[in-house]
Amino acid sequence: MTDGTGEPLRARHPGAGVPDDQPMVTFTFDGEPVQALAGQSLGGALIASGRRSWRTTRRQGRPRGLFCGIGVCFDCLVSIGGRPNQRACLVTVVPGADIESQDGPGGYGG
Amino acid sequence: MVRVATVAELVVVGGGPAGLAAATTAADLGCSVVLVDSAARLGGQYYRQLPAQVAVADPGALHHDFRPGAELLDRVRAHPAIRVYSSTTVWAAHRDGDQVELQLLYADGSCAVLRTRTVVLATGAYDRSLPFPGWTLPGVVTAGGAQALLKGQYVLAGRRVVVAGSGPFLLPVAAGLAESGAEVLGVFDASTPARWARHAGTVARTPGKLGEAADYLQTLRQHRVPVRFGRAVTRAHGGPELRAVTVSRLDRRWRPRSAGEQRIEVDALAVGWGFTPNVELAIALGVPTAVDPVDGSVLARADPQGCTAVPTVLVAGEITGVGGSALATTEGRLAGLAAARRCGRLTAEQLARQSSPLRRRRLREVRFARALLDVYAVQPGWMSWLRDDTVLCRCEEVTIGCVDAVVHDLGATDLRSLKLLSRVGMGMCQGRVCGQAAGCLLAARTGRPVLDLAGFSARPLAVPVPLGVLADEPPSVDGSGDV
């Protein structure tokens, strides 16, 4: 899995008029702080931070991250507050949330 | 715990172009409409918006022509007769006499039940996927996924991106990425432009589409993005994550030619092969389906008004056949009119009169949509890119080699037995990503047509729900709960 030190991947469209200065929120991913635009999805924030994978598959232990981006493929699963198998592309970032990468099926409880 | 079902005069499922159009059309005629949409903001895929908290001066800049979308969104927001349930997923649906019952799942995990005499299903479509070596490497996303990241999250799928696959959608994806700061190393479309020759008349009758394509191509030219046809990414390289792609030249059947291969270093690959209609709720409600003869997708069968064989269920947009947002909007209006008729707001004569110009518009759009499907149709040579260790089912990690073994050694000849013997389609996505490809492969390996693709697309539970939800008692219907 990537360690999140990749270049930030925020879009910059010349015509959209999205100022760099935006309300941001912070959550933790495997104990590290990650910044997100307020209202962004976990999947969007993780990709923006340079991470391309945040779980491993059940059988072969291969890394997976975001694939379809719209909640159909179930590749982008993360654990939120101890609950595994949440689709990162659909969940809006909650400030202060404790997000964890998931190995295989993940486990329930803290 | 006994739940109470809310009764609505008309429910529209799906907040994209078709759903928005159906809701406003019916509400304008006096219907009381509940619009249910699974995303946080309305717009579907086509009019996907940034989060409300993000300050954006010109939201339309990320779209090609946002005006129709902006208008629909504004009208829905302001309409007193439309109640919007966002971040709400319909996870199951069934018929109960002359009513339809919908099970709703809210973002916080709680549930509700909606009952209605008339439902318009406008559940859209999602990217069609084809497996190829290395497609499971992190960094490989669908074209729709790259678009959702950009339009919905203001995030680039990667810094160095290749866009590949087949279809008109590759151009706006690449143009958006290039305009927003990504380095797009190339757009590689497997199709052959010569296929347009047989549709010259249709193109001449819909000149606006050419203008749209020209806009994208100009943007790509300005950003020095090469656009090439008859080529495909036949292999993605990496480990543990995507590092490079191999682009091959193809013959007309999409078999790789031996010469002219190139290797490009990338950190993201956005790949799109058209779209797959989201028909599971239609199937759950007993709407008959058909398989599209050109792209092989399972569609909901309906007449031009959007009426199905099930009187309580109307359909509009991509689920009746992939055709783009203008067609979806027109079909939404037609279904909205039909819904208003069912709710007693229109006479038969008024319905016919108001529908007539829309039906003509719909026919023009359908003709162009059929031409697109033909030009960009997937050719069977894609199967020659596969290796034994290429993953077919991403969820269950079932390889092509495993599928071949199940077909040759265990005699699987239909999708159901393939699923039972190999677990293809049994994972969390329930065959949404691999289903169509699995069908093509099975037909190619056995030499027989695959007849149960619709069965493979039936998903009694549309999304995972907690067991506690299933354990709840059925609701009582409270007449005073009318919306």
Side-chain angles (χ1 to χ4, degrees):
Chain A
M1 255 167 287
T2 33
D3 61 1
T5 55
E7 223 183 308
L9 288 163
R10 185 195 280 209
R12 279 197 165 75
H13 191 286
V18 178
D20 281 354
D21 186 25
Q22 292 281 344
M24 305 291 286
V25 298
T26 307
F27 63 98
T28 57
F29 177 73
D30 283 351
E32 289 186 29
V34 181
Q35 287 232 294
L37 291 173
Q40 229 174 19
S41 69
L42 272 174
L46 289 171
I47 295 286
S49 75
R51 292 168 171 83
R52 291 185 294 171
S53 61
W54 47 81
R55 77 156 177 123
T56 55
T57 56
R58 272 188 2 249
R59 289 163 193 258
Q60 307 277 318
R62 299 271 154 80
R64 296 281 175 92
L66 192 130
F67 177 65
C68 80
I70 63 170
V72 163
C73 75
F74 288 82
D75 249 21
C76 64
L77 309 177
V78 286
S79 251
I80 303 181
R83 273 176 79 215
N85 301 323
Q86 306 302 305
R87 286 167 285 175
C89 68
L90 295 182
V91 176
T92 303
V93 173
V94 170
D98 187 21
I99 312 298
E100 286 178 335
S101 57
Q102 176 173 319
D103 281 329
Y108 280 84
Chain B
M1 180 185 66
V2 175
R3 290 166 293 143
V4 174
T6 303
V7 179
E9 186 178 18
L10 168 64
V11 178
V12 176
V13 182
L20 296 172
T24 48
T25 301
D28 282 350
L29 290 166
C31 294
S32 186
V33 183
V34 171
L35 175 59
V36 181
D37 186 59
S38 58
R41 299 194 77 184
L42 294 175
Q45 305 305 326
Y46 201 78
Y47 295 127
R48 192 174 274 277
Q49 306 179 76
L50 289 173
Q53 299 91 320
V54 176
V56 44
D58 182 12
L62 288 169
H63 296 76
H64 179 258
D65 181 13
F66 194 58
R67 277 165 314 153
E71 218 177 278
L72 279 170
L73 289 164
D74 285 343
R75 298 210 57 231
V76 166
R77 252 193 297 270
H79 211 300
I82 303 177
R83 241 172 86 163
V84 178
Y85 291 19
S86 284
S87 303
T88 303
T89 304
V90 178
W91 61 269
H94 71 272
R95 279 150 59 196
D96 183 9
D98 72 339
Q99 296 217 309
V100 165
E101 185 169 298
L102 305 169
Q103 308 297 326
L104 307 184
L105 180 68
Y106 296 133
D108 65 0
S110 67
C111 288
V113 181
L114 212 45
R115 287 178 72 101
T116 184
R117 274 194 68 250
T118 309
V119 64
V120 174
L121 297 178
T123 45
Y126 58 92
D127 291 85
R128 178 179 176 182
S129 287
L130 292 179
F132 57 91
W135 75 304
T136 55
L137 290 167
V140 179
V141 296
T142 61
Q147 196 73 317
L149 279 171
L150 179 62
K151 286 164 121 177
Q153 306 295 318
Y154 209 52
V155 172
L156 302 174
R159 274 275 157 218
R160 289 176 55 90
V161 190
V162 158
V163 178
S166 174
F169 187 51
L170 304 186
L171 295 183
V173 170
L177 282 167
E179 278 181 316
S180 304
E183 188 183 357
V184 182
L185 283 319
V187 179
F188 301 105
D189 192 315
S191 69
T192 326
R195 291 176 71 91
W196 277 108
R198 65 183 99 169
H199 301 288
T202 301
V203 172
R205 281 188 288 274
T206 30
K209 312 284 189 182
L210 277 183
E212 188 178 339
D215 286 345
Y216 298 133
L217 288 169
Q218 181 173 12
T219 300
L220 292 169
R221 239 192 326 268
Q222 277 165 358
H223 288 89
R224 305 209 208 300
V225 178
V227 177
R228 302 281 180 264
F229 292 88
R231 300 195 208 192
V233 169
T234 50
R235 196 154 165 200
H237 307 272
E241 298 181 343
L242 178 68
R243 279 207 290 263
V245 296
T246 292
V247 178
S248 305
R249 290 176 190 250
L250 306 175
D251 66 17
R252 280 181 312 126
R253 301 290 278 163
W254 292 17
R255 298 188 71 95
R257 294 188 202 272
S258 46
E261 220 176 62
Q262 48 172 155
R263 187 179 161 113
I264 307 177
E265 288 186 6
V266 295
D267 58 6
L269 166 66
V271 61
W273 305 101
F275 298 98
T276 305
N278 232 335
V279 289
E280 61 219 11
L281 289 181
I283 291 175
L285 289 171
V287 172
T289 58
V291 174
D292 189 293
V294 178
D295 77 354
S297 53
V298 178
L299 313 171
R301 275 205 286 160
D303 69 10
Q305 195 78 46
C307 298
T308 71
V310 179
T312 46
V313 182
L314 303 160
V315 290
E318 305 285 76
I319 63 169
T320 69
V322 173
S325 68
L327 174 58
T329 304
T330 302
E331 290 190 339
R333 296 208 161 100
L334 284 163
L337 290 174
R341 165 98 184 109
R342 271 190 60 80
C343 297
R345 314 290 183 173
L346 281 180
T347 64
E349 195 268 335
Q350 285 167 328
L351 173 65
R353 199 169 14 94
Q354 294 190 39
S355 298
S356 178
L358 292 168
R359 285 195 182 210
R360 281 197 299 275
R361 192 184 312 169
R362 179 186 169 276
L363 256 185
R364 277 199 305 274
E365 292 286 344
V366 165
R367 284 199 189 104
F368 191 80
R370 304 303 304 164
L372 280 178
L373 286 182
D374 179 66
V375 169
Y376 294 106
V378 171
Q379 304 302 324
W382 71 269
M383 289 182 268
S384 71
W385 313 343
L386 303 170
R387 296 146 57 102
D388 271 359
D389 63 357
T390 305
V391 167
L392 166 63
C393 168
R394 297 174 68 100
C395 298
E396 295 294 306
E397 304 170 83
V398 183
T399 62
I400 298 297
C402 174
V403 169
D404 281 339
V406 156
V407 169
H408 293 127
D409 304 342
L410 301 181
T413 52
D414 62 4
L415 279 171
R416 184 174 153 75
S417 39
L418 175 67
K419 180 179 191 175
L420 291 172
L421 293 170
S422 71
R423 293 195 63 85
V424 165
M426 279 198 184
M428 288 191 86
C429 97
Q430 290 287 286
R432 286 179 180 88
V433 173
C434 69
Q436 224 177 326
C440 290
L441 270 164
L442 197 53
R445 296 300 199 252
T446 61
R448 299 196 214 178
V450 162
L451 302 172
D452 59 347
L453 190 56
F456 202 77
S457 308
R459 296 175 188 106
L461 300 191
V463 289
V465 290
L467 280 174
V469 166
L470 298 175
D472 273 349
E473 287 185 36
S476 68
V477 178
D478 181 351
S480 66
D482 277 291
V483 176

